[in-house]
Amino acid sequence: MGQLQSCCVARDDQSFVDVSYSRSCCELNNSLLGEDAFYRDAFFDCNEGDRSHDWLFAAAWEQTRLKYRKASNFKQYATWILGEKLACWLWGKRFRLPGQLPPAAPACHTQDRTVEPSPCMAPEDRSRSSQRSLEWLGKTLPEWRAHGLPSEGPFWKKGDGNGFRVRCGPDYLKTGQKCDSAGSLYDAIYCDALKADTKITDIMGRIVSLSDLPNPDRSEGDRSGGQLDWKKELGVPRILCINLMLPYQTGILGRGRKDEGCSFVGIFQISPKSLVAASNGKMSASLKLWQQFCAGPCGAPGETGSKDRSLAARVAKGIKKDRQSGLFKAVAKCVNPGDVHVPDLFHTYNGKPCLITNCGYIVKDPDGEWLEVGIDVRGFNALARSMLCQFRGRLPICKIHYGFCIQSVEDDEMPEGLLCDMYVCGVDVISDPVPIRG
């Protein structure tokens, strides 16, 4: 038989000699849709009977399945959108008066969002003028303190750490076993909706100071009856700030375009139970993993150009992200999906965790008392941004449970534990955020 012709273009580094190398020897097609499985990037010529490169064909099959799922999801989404636009157009043709323009598509699903005063609402100031931190902090969204969830919004409510499915052992990578979440390490104290004439980042230390926040809860002490205070030596921050940044536009930004969007800011304080566990050294697996996470690369306040500021700095090359411990994950779960008219595709991914790497930043107080994590949805893929903007008119009828955790892989890190969680109900991302100086 003649010599087989290789489909690959060997690179100068000759990395194809090492079978354990994380990528194939072929040049990659880094398109907007990701690496194309049909661009020869996962194939390798090998001698007959040699199984040393079978993993390359397994990778090709996995890529093919992912491409098929992406195409299927896009088809479902596009078909649903076209159907909605057609229905709204037909509605306008049938019911509009002579000379009247048909309504826009979102008008087919608008609802009256008038909210009656409730004793469960925290004192609030709904002024739309620019405000200082002490004036808006904890007042842009009222807290729901009654049992259950409100029928209308906008409200936010403290979570109890339950309601999510998290990884558990033994041998999760083989079994894929999950269990119900049980508690969280931090308690929610504030949730605010903000917007400015620029993207809002670096909230702690720049916009909100520790003096603006309530004193730590000392209701639970150690076994000897003494009271416990937070200390830097514990290795975990007292305050955790989550900054979820949402876009107002779709498409590719840049070339003069900008999207200030809005920010939903959650501020959490370490729970007395977690403080006791960190103080006496009897920490859960999730608290130990969180302690390790806090000791990892972090940006310093004001250092916007630092590489350590990006959560992508924590990703190890050559290992699939879902097989790496210590990565930050966010989960959004709509608890009333039956009330929301959206494509079935949305329900498929409801409550599924999302790893935050390239789209996340992390900033840590030099004294270790606070840590801030930002999640910029502007960096998500175009389809995700398009769906968010297309269906943001449905958010005022959604009741969403948000949770955040650090990914676990090994048995001694199981089960995964939530860092913090909260409910956000009936929020309009256009009208509810309060303007501040960014």
Side-chain angles (χ1 to χ4, degrees), residues 102-119:
C108 295
H109 302 284
T110 55
Q111 294 191 3
D112 182 8
R113 296 187 60 249
T114 303
V115 181
E116 296 297 328
S118 167

Side-chain angles (χ1 to χ4, degrees), residues 117-151:
S118 167
C120 302
M121 300 173 80
E124 59 172 338
D125 181 2
R126 305 298 291 172
S127 171
R128 290 296 183 260
S129 61
S130 297
Q131 304 176 33
R132 292 171 48 248
S133 63
L134 287 179
E135 295 174 343
W136 60 256
L137 184 61
K139 299 177 182 178
T140 65
L141 293 178
E143 180 183 358
W144 181 264
R145 295 174 180 154
H147 180 71
L149 295 175
S151 57

Side-chain angles (χ1 to χ4, degrees), residues 7 17 88 108 117 128 165 213 300 310-311 345 364 399 428:
C7 70
V17 176
C88 289
C108 295
R128 290 296 183 260
R165 299 287 291 174
L213 303 177
S310 174
L311 285 175
L345 170 64
K364 184 179 178 181
K399 303 173 184 179
D428 188 322

